[in-house]
């Protein structure tokens, strides 16, 4: 369309714009800028015949401020890519999001560090208050470990003559009465691997282990009565030998991380 049409022998400007319908769809419109007197007296049939519809639906939609002198320019405005300013604004938001994520990570690390320091202070306090007694120290260590690692149950087993004997337990369900007493773990069970490797052992799901499938009493009791699923076992090593193991458990399949 041209920028103007003739109405009663007068050139009338055509203004192209963008509007939104009730359902939110954007569309282009063309308006004739008629003088007030002419607009009051002009009959509908005197309006100029245009070579295309005045209303056309815009699939992507306009951004609410399209201005053009011709229909072609209006369509180009509606279909054009995002502007440099819009891209710059989005990139700015993305950069701010990165900063927010990093700040959250640093704050989490700080809180975790403070929690660990608090736990160490608690353990040292019990050691000072209970000279020569290991039971209260073991229990305080387990209490702190469960809190920091979001676990529900923990045990400390000492090694004597190659067998594990339970020295401390915290958080166990009342029905879980099974306790290790000079327990010699069968081959390829988690405690056996811990003894052989002298390193931390993670169990993603105790109910999926070979020991549980084979009906090993200690593991069956641990899963069915102790409600243990994911676990982490850490060896207690002295002079290169395993003298015990600390184990913490979660009641759901939720593996421990580093």
């Amino acid at each position: 369309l041209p920028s103007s049409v003739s109405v009663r022998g007068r050139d009338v400007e055509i203004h192209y714009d963008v509007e939104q319908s009730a359902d939110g769809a954007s569309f282009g419109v063309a308006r004739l800028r008629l003088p007030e007197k002419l607009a009051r007296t002009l009959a509908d049939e005197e309006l100029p015949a245009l070579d295309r519809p005045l209303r056309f639906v815009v699939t992507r939609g306009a951004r609410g401020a399209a201005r053009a002198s011709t229909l072609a320019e209006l369509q180009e405005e509606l279909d054009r890519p995002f502007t440099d300013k819009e891209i710059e604004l989005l990139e700015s938001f993305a950069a701010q999001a990165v900063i927010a994520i990093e700040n959250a990570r640093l704050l989490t690390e700080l809180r975790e560090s403070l929690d660990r320091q608090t736990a160490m202070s608690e353990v040292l306090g019990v050691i000072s208050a209970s000279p020569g007694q290991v039971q209260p120290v073991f229990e305080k260590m387990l209490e702190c470990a469960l809190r920091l690692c979001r676990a529900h149950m923990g045990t400390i087993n000492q090694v004597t003559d190659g067998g594990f004997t339970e020295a401390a337990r915290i958080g166990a369900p009342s029905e879980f009465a099974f306790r290790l007493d000079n327990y010699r773990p069968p081959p390829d069970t988690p405690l056996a691997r811990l003894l052989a490797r002298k390193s931390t052992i993670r169990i993603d799901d105790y109910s999926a282990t070979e020991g549980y499938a084979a009906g090993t009493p200690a593991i069956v009791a641990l899963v069915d009565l102790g409600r243990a699923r994911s676990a982490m076992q850490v060896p207690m090593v002295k002079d290169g030998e395993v003298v015990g193991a600390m184990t913490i458990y979660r009641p759901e399949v939720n593996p421990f991380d580093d």
Side-chain angles (χ1 to χ4, degrees), residues 60 63 76-77 79-91:
R60 187 170 64 83
R63 288 177 292 280
E76 181 181 356
E77 168 71 16
D79 291 341
R80 69 182 175 84
F82 291 104
T83 66
D84 292 340
K85 287 186 177 180
E86 291 166 337
I87 294 173
E88 182 181 352
L89 177 62
L90 190 59
E91 289 176 345

Side-chain angles (χ1 to χ4, degrees), residues 239-251:
D239 298 330
E241 297 296 326
V242 176
V243 298
M246 175 185 288
T247 307
I248 56 176
Y249 306 90
R250 285 174 176 160

Side-chain angles (χ1 to χ4, degrees), residues 10-27:
R10 300 178 60 175
D11 286 336
V12 176
E13 181 184 357
I14 301 176
H15 177 69
Y16 300 95
D17 207 343
V18 178
E19 291 187 352
Q20 281 193 325
S21 61
D23 59 5
S26 298
F27 56 90

Side-chain angles (χ1 to χ4, degrees), residues 118-128 137 140-141 144:
T118 299
M120 291 299 297
S121 297
E122 292 176 5
V123 172
L124 292 175
V126 174
I127 292 175
S128 299
V137 176
K140 174 56 69 172
M141 291 170 62
C144 293

Side-chain angles (χ1 to χ4, degrees), residues 3-78:
S3 60
S4 65
V5 292
S6 178
V7 179
R8 289 186 181 176
R10 300 178 60 175
D11 286 336
V12 176
E13 181 184 357
I14 301 176
H15 177 69
Y16 300 95
D17 207 343
V18 178
E19 291 187 352
Q20 281 193 325
S21 61
D23 59 5
S26 298
F27 56 90
V29 294
R31 293 190 179 89
L32 299 179
R33 292 188 169 178
L34 299 173
E36 183 179 354
K37 182 177 179 181
L38 181 61
R40 289 200 308 266
T41 61
L42 191 68
D44 290 344
E45 57 269 17
E46 293 183 86
L47 288 172
L50 301 176
D51 61 359
R52 67 180 71 191
L54 290 181
R55 175 185 171 113
F56 57 96
V57 176
V58 180
T59 55
R60 187 170 64 83
R63 288 177 292 280
R67 293 292 185 272
S69 60
T70 68
L71 191 59
E73 290 180 8
L74 178 60
Q75 186 67 64
E76 181 181 356
E77 168 71 16
L78 296 173

